[in-house]
Amino acid sequence: MITVHHLNNSRSQRVLWLLEELGAGYEVKRYQRDPQTMLAPPALLAVHPLGKSPVITDGTHTIAESGAIIEYLVDRCGDGRLKPAAGSPERLRYTYWLHFAEGSAMPPLLLRLIFNRIAAGPMPFFVKPVARAISAKVNEAFIAPNLARQLKFMESELAAREWFVGDEFSAADIQMSFPLEVARQRAGLNESYPKLMRFLQRIHDRPAYQRALSAGGAYDLAS
Ligand SMILES: N[C@@H](CCC(=O)N[C@@H](CS)C(=O)NCC(=O)O)C(=O)O
């Protein structure tokens, strides 16, 4: 039996969704973030030394890192589904988006969260203006331009094809869903990117996505 160690409001929602798309059997073990720090509870450290989610266990295997989990599950339960054939141009695109999501899209989104928190967090009054100025500078010089460039790039990719890889839905779309959900929350993804907004609407409409939401619990990402 595959066990998904699921942290509320997290990337592991993607893993539940993939398993639902594949129609694979699984069980969910739930973990709750600390409401103040948003960190995972120490119980996750007993599953994997980094204590992050997603992580899955399957027999003697413990697998962490969303991309690795997706690769594992598609090979284990996919029977050729949700992954383009080896050697095809689509396969190359599949590999690209699978890595892009965590390797390129998530870092500036995480920086945005951290610097938003620095600017808004509690601190002595005389430090506040300095913290806010540094935060604004980093945002203006680095975070905002990178986010804007990435959104534009992703929008143009979806202008050329139905899904990120091609005209078929694939597990790369599942992997790409999280940065786009987060970008809508905190990086200005709105109706000025109609293809990306349509992508989000289409994934939300999928029955397997809905079932994964029921399995994982309410989903409310931090801004
Ligand atoms: N690149 C990793 C990121 C894992 C990660 O940072 N997960 C977050 C949830 S979205 C987490 O566990 N946060 C809680 C913490 O860091 O304590 C992946 O894709 O699996």
Side-chain angles (χ1 to χ4, degrees):
M1 173 61 90
I2 296 165
T3 303
V4 181
H5 298 268
H6 175 71
L7 183 67
N8 63 312
N9 293 329
S10 81
R11 289 161 168 89
S12 65
Q13 196 62 42
R14 278 188 298 211
V15 174
L16 300 177
W17 177 24
L18 172 63
L19 284 159
E20 289 291 343
E21 290 282 353
L22 293 172
Y26 67 95
E27 63 176 13
V28 183
K29 197 159 172 218
R30 291 193 191 202
Y31 302 79
Q32 290 295 321
R33 290 180 187 267
D34 179 304
Q36 244 81 56
T37 63
M38 297 306 286
L39 293 176
L44 263 176
L45 284 167
V47 185
H48 185 277
L50 296 183
K52 305 242 179 225
S53 181
V55 58
I56 64 166
T57 44
D58 184 16
T60 56
H61 300 305
T62 300
I63 305 148
E65 199 59 52
S66 317
I69 294 170
I70 288 178
E71 295 262 34
Y72 175 80
L73 292 176
V74 167
D75 287 346
R76 158 116 158 63
C77 323
D79 210 11
R81 289 169 297 159
L82 300 187
K83 179 178 181 176
S88 63
E90 286 80 12
R91 179 63 161 270
L92 198 53
R93 295 178 56 78
Y94 175 83
T95 306
Y96 175 77
W97 291 112
L98 215 53
H99 288 268
F100 175 89
E102 287 296 321
S104 290
M106 283 312 294
L109 290 165
L110 185 61
L111 284 174
R112 166 68 53 93
L113 177 70
I114 292 168
F115 279 94
N116 280 353
R117 290 207 171 164
I118 288 174
M123 67 190 86
F125 75 93
F126 53 87
V127 183
K128 228 176 209 335
V130 180
R132 283 197 179 144
I134 292 173
S135 184
K137 189 73 204 157
V138 175
N139 190 40
E140 179 198 315
F142 181 76
I143 304 173
N146 272 291
L147 288 173
R149 199 174 306 141
Q150 287 190 354
L151 286 174
K152 200 170 152 210
F153 168 55
M154 292 185 283
E155 175 77 9
S156 72
E157 288 290 301
L158 283 187
R161 50 192 67 78
E162 282 290 302
W163 298 99
F164 276 100
V165 166
D167 289 339
E168 298 281 321
F169 176 78
S170 78
D173 295 300
I174 296 178
Q175 176 77 331
M176 282 299 293
S177 66
F178 190 76
L180 291 173
E181 303 271 19
V182 176
R184 194 174 49 155
Q185 197 69 25
R186 71 174 86 117
L189 171 53
N190 57 28
E191 295 301 339
S192 58
Y193 300 95
K195 304 286 181 202
L196 295 177
M197 293 301 281
R198 179 169 170 264
F199 173 87
L200 285 175
Q201 190 54 56
R202 290 175 83 200
I203 64 170
H204 294 164
D205 289 346
R206 291 180 79 87
Y209 184 98
Q210 301 289 336
R211 288 196 298 276
L213 278 189
S214 308
Y219 194 37
D220 180 17
L221 296 169
S223 357

